[in-house]
């Protein structure tokens, strides 16, 4: 059994963690994990300098010294914008044709970075997967995501698809059409509300067997066409976070509950600490029966 396996097994069921946005100083970012009172995190893509093997090994040593478990590394790409729904369609993930090849190459580099860190799950927003299977782009997106999944399998890693842009039925069809046994789902219920893509609990039940990670995030729906909804502090939006966690539990999910709060500064830290306290209460009720 490798060191990474032992560390992963040390996490308690539904351990509370945090989504870590990594800037040019990953060490400072990692300290924020401990500052909010948790010891596991999903990591965003760091600056390109840190993707180099030597710097990645240096970062791994720092993470290990701090006693933190990185459960997932997220892909992120230059030029992506979440300003509004049309902009997301044009710029995010593997869907835009003009950037697809370059992003696949970058994703593979991020996967190799994650491997050096000892992380066996790599996550990504695919982008707006076409709702219709006969859309000419649909087969292309299946092909490029499949190629990335195959690369990850060669690394001993899994691909975790972040929910949000597509409906539950489209995501399920996409997973079936990919047909890879190392592809799962990072389920973010708030994203479905923010994008207006359906009821998150119904979608969770639909794809539950594929869930290998989740985000504990909240939000309210959009009020204008082509606009995203508004993210809210956990427990103050429309997700129904206790129902979400109970549904995860019913489906047999035991992985981390990863808090994501997509603001910055002191308020982000305060909201994450409050979210951790809320999740601790819910987790005790759910696991306690």
């Amino acid at each position: 059994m490798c060191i990474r396996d032992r560390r992963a097994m040390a996490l308690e069921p539904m351990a509370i963690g945090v989504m870590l946005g990594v800037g040019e100083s990953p060490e400072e970012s990692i300290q924020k994990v401990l500052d909010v009172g948790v010891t596991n995190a999903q990591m965003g893509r760091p600056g390109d300098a840190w993707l180099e093997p030597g710097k990645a090994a240096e970062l791994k040593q720092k993470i290990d010294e701090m006693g933190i478990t990185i459960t997932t590394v997220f892909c992120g790409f230059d030029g992506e914008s979440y300003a509004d729904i049309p902009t997301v369609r044009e710029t995010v993930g593997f869907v835009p044709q003009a950037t697809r090849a370059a992003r696949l190459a970058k994703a593979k580099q991020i996967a190799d970075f994650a491997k050096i860190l000892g992380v066996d799950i790599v996550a990504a927003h695919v982008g707006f997967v076409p709702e219709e299977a006969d859309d000419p782009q649909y087969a292309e997106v299946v092909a490029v995501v499949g190629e990335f999944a195959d690369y990850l399998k060669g690394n001993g890693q899994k691909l975790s698809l972040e929910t949000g842009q597509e409906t539950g039925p489209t995501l399920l069809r996409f997973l079936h059409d990919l047909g890879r046994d190392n592809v799962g789902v990072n389920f973010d219920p708030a994203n479905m509300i923010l994008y207006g893509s359906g009821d998150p609990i119904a979608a969770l039940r639909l794809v539950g067997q594929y869930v290998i990670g989740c985000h504990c995030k909240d939000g309210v729906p959009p009020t204008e066409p082509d606009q995203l909804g508004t993210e809210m502090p956990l427990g103050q939006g429309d997700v129904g976070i206790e129902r979400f966690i109970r549904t995860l539990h019913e489906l047999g999910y035991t992985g981390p509950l990863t808090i994501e709060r997509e603001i910055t500064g002191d308020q982000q830290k305060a909201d994450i600490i409050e979210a951790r306290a809320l999740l601790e209460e819910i987790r005790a009720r759910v696991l306690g029966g």
Side-chain angles (χ1 to χ4, degrees), residues 18-22 32 42-45 74-76 80-83 88 92 125 162-165 186-195 215-220 228-234 239 258-273 275:
V18 66
M19 177 65 202
L20 177 65
V22 182
K32 295 176 184 177
Q42 294 184 351
M43 176 182 282
R45 166 199 163 184
F74 261 79
C75 294
E80 290 183 310
S81 171
Y82 293 85
V88 173
V92 169
H125 272 292
E162 171 89 350
T163 57
Q165 286 97 25
N186 189 77
F187 203 99
D188 187 323
N191 279 351
M192 298 201 71
I193 291 172
L194 298 177
Y195 284 93
H215 283 163
C216 292
K217 189 170 79 180
D218 219 332
V220 295
L228 290 163
T230 302
E231 187 199 357
M232 302 290 288
L234 197 67
V239 163
T258 303
I259 300 164
E260 184 176 33
R261 184 69 170 112
E262 296 188 287
I263 59 174
T264 58
D266 292 341
Q267 190 60 52
Q268 182 194 47
K269 181 178 178 180
D271 287 353
I272 290 173
I273 291 172

Side-chain angles (χ1 to χ4, degrees), residues 124 126 129-130 138 141-142 145-146 149 159-163 166-187 203-204 206-212:
V126 173
V129 175
Y138 181 76
V141 176
V142 170
V145 175
L159 172 60
S160 189
L161 305 179
E162 171 89 350
T163 57
E166 61 289 310
T167 64
T170 296
L171 177 59
L172 183 62
R173 185 191 70 220
F174 188 65
L175 289 162
H176 286 169
D177 290 345
L178 279 169
R180 266 73 171 184
D181 62 5
N182 68 321
V183 178
V185 170
N186 189 77
F187 203 99
L204 175 59
L206 198 61
V207 302
Q209 65 179 306
Y210 294 98
V211 175
I212 57 175

Side-chain angles (χ1 to χ4, degrees), residues 7-257:
R7 294 182 68 204
M9 289 176 66
L11 288 179
E12 59 187 355
M14 289 189 160
I16 298 167
V18 66
M19 177 65 202
L20 177 65
V22 182
E24 292 305 312
S25 178
E27 305 104 314
E28 291 180 12
S29 299
I30 292 163
Q31 179 61 44
K32 295 176 184 177
V33 178
L34 300 179
D35 290 346
V36 298
V38 300
T39 58
N40 77 86
Q42 294 184 351
M43 176 182 282
R45 166 199 163 184
D48 282 352
W50 290 94
L51 297 178
E52 297 302 321
K55 295 292 286 184
E58 179 184 326
L59 183 57
K60 174 178 169 48
Q61 181 177 354
K62 181 69 173 178
I63 291 168
D64 289 347
E65 288 171 355
M66 296 174 74
I68 292 170
T69 298
I70 302 299
T71 58
T72 301
V73 172
F74 261 79
C75 294
F77 305 113
D78 294 341
E80 290 183 310
S81 171
Y82 293 85
D84 52 40
I85 289 175
T87 303
V88 173
R89 287 187 182 278
E90 293 171 4
T91 68
V92 169
F94 296 107
V95 173
Q97 289 176 306
T99 56
R100 195 176 289 157
R103 288 181 176 181
L104 178 59
K106 179 60 67 176
K108 291 176 180 178
Q109 187 181 14
I110 294 167
D112 291 343
F113 163 82
K115 184 178 180 180
I116 292 170
L117 263 56
V119 179
D120 58 12
I121 299 178
V122 178
H125 272 292
V126 173
F128 270 96
V129 175
E131 291 287 323
E132 303 299 328
D134 59 359
D135 185 304
Q137 282 214 65
Y138 181 76
E140 295 178 12
V141 176
V142 170
V144 69
V145 175
E147 182 178 341
F148 184 39
D150 292 343
Y151 185 86
L152 289 169
K153 189 163 188 175
N155 271 357
Q157 296 168 313
K158 297 178 181 178
L159 172 60
S160 189
L161 305 179
E162 171 89 350
T163 57
Q165 286 97 25
E166 61 289 310
T167 64
T170 296
L171 177 59
L172 183 62
R173 185 191 70 220
F174 188 65
L175 289 162
H176 286 169
D177 290 345
L178 279 169
R180 266 73 171 184
D181 62 5
N182 68 321
V183 178
V185 170
N186 189 77
F187 203 99
D188 187 323
N191 279 351
M192 298 201 71
I193 291 172
L194 298 177
Y195 284 93
S197 53
D199 173 34
I201 302 301
L204 175 59
R205 292 192 180 280
L206 198 61
V207 302
Q209 65 179 306
Y210 294 98
V211 175
I212 57 175
C214 74
H215 283 163
C216 292
K217 189 170 79 180
D218 219 332
V220 295
T223 57
E224 298 290 338
D226 291 335
Q227 298 301 307
L228 290 163
T230 302
E231 187 199 357
M232 302 290 288
L234 197 67
Q236 297 182 29
D238 290 354
V239 163
I241 192 63
E242 182 155 351
R243 183 177 170 220
F244 174 64
I245 291 169
R246 286 190 180 279
T247 304
L248 284 170
H249 182 58
E250 290 168 12
L251 293 167
Y253 177 79
T254 59
L257 303 175

